[in-house]
Amino acid sequence: MLFIVSSTLTSDEKKKAKKVKPAAVSVEERGLVKNEIELDEIIKNHAIYCDKCKNMKTFENKVLGYVTPWNARGYDVAKVFANKFDFISPVWLQIQRVGPKNYQLSGTHDIDMKWIKNVKKKSNQSSLLVPRILFEKLKMEDLHALFNNEEEIDSLAKMLLSKSLDFQFNGFVLEIYMQLSGYGKNNINHLVSDLAKALHKHNKLLILVIPPIMKKNEKLFDKRDFDLLKDDIDCFSLMTYDYYSHSRLIGPNAPIDWVRENIEYFTDEPLYRQKILLGLNFYGMKFVTNSKGESRSEPEPILGKDYIKLIKNNKLNLKWENKYKEHILISNENNQKTFIFYPTLSSLHSRIELAKELGTGLSIWELGQGLDYFYDLL
């Protein structure tokens, strides 16, 4: 099979896109998973995945991959590597309360039934479709109703069940704690538990997105919340990435000690460890600093296609930061330093090995942002 190496391409770009022949063996067998690696090796190999490996999942625990409509590359990745994923979560849908005990899903225009059927067919029905959902346009009166009226929760659950049947979903991934910034946590926990139980009655799943821990006094979701929900929720998608948004420090996307700290904080019980999906970022961050080492602006996200373009066209130094288990690209031009943290085979391998050690699964944000040879590791 030949795979087009591209992101969301224009018609002219598609004509120029180069077809790449897959490899016969994995990146590990090709000796590419190493700390000391040349940029030319990345440029030469990033689009070459193992053909026979694409249908084999080597990571034993659960793997979830997110797909976004604004990065259409992820749709193709989900089809090609469908057997690598236990769950595929398209980011399509939002919940709206449109009246008393009346809820609807917006974003259904993005649902691609042909793609859903293709993914399930490619994976022999083993990849479960669990779209991410979050609340949209919630007013205080909506929250009050939802938190204080069991009939409101029942109406919401019935709507979600109905839509899951209409669109052949296997369940949902719910994101709510970051959105509400911890507002009314006891009520949120009650809502989440009731929704999970209602969906389970009809063999539908509920996976819960949970924020990472940072400071002791800043836990939007803590161990107590985890313990309350661990028997009701099928999996917890733990956002162990985007460290900058919490620390505001120029540095790695996900320091490995911080990732470990998050897992160990929530539970040491193997039964519940396997419900945690350790978050892997397939995007990077670019920091531009002035001569004083101060950030000139907010960092920019870097996708795989951007990363390859950068290393092809700029003089950059690639350095392995053993403390963080991440590579960093450094440029020093025109009195400003640029730092780029983007995942590499070695950084991803370190986190996958950590997940194996701790007995967790994986959740990937998101499939369209990575490089093709990343998927050999799953």
Side-chain angles (χ1 to χ4, degrees), residues 17 23 156 242 320:
L156 173 58
D242 199 15
W320 175 252

Side-chain angles (χ1 to χ4, degrees), residues 218-272:
E218 292 182 3
K219 294 188 177 75
L220 298 180
F221 185 91
D222 57 28
K223 180 172 172 53
R224 174 181 169 275
D225 302 315
F226 183 89
D227 287 340
L228 283 169
L229 295 170
K230 64 186 181 183
D231 290 313
D232 296 330
I233 296 300
D234 295 287
C235 290
F236 296 84
S237 179
L238 177 57
M239 301 168 68
T240 41
Y241 41 74
D242 199 15
Y243 185 74
Y244 171 81
S245 69
H246 307 283
S247 69
R248 309 305 292 176
L249 299 173
I250 295 174
N253 293 298
I256 199 154
D257 288 345
W258 173 69
V259 177
R260 176 186 289 275
E261 179 188 356
N262 268 271
I263 303 299
E264 292 179 342
Y265 166 75
F266 284 111
T267 184
D268 59 2
E269 298 177 74
L271 176 64
Y272 298 113

Side-chain angles (χ1 to χ4, degrees), residues 112-128:
D112 186 338
M113 292 303 299
K114 182 178 179 181
W115 173 78
I116 290 175
K117 290 176 181 177
N118 285 338
V119 170
K120 291 193 173 187
K121 181 179 179 181
K122 181 70 191 303
S123 69
N124 295 316
Q125 307 301 314
S126 65
S127 289
L128 304 181

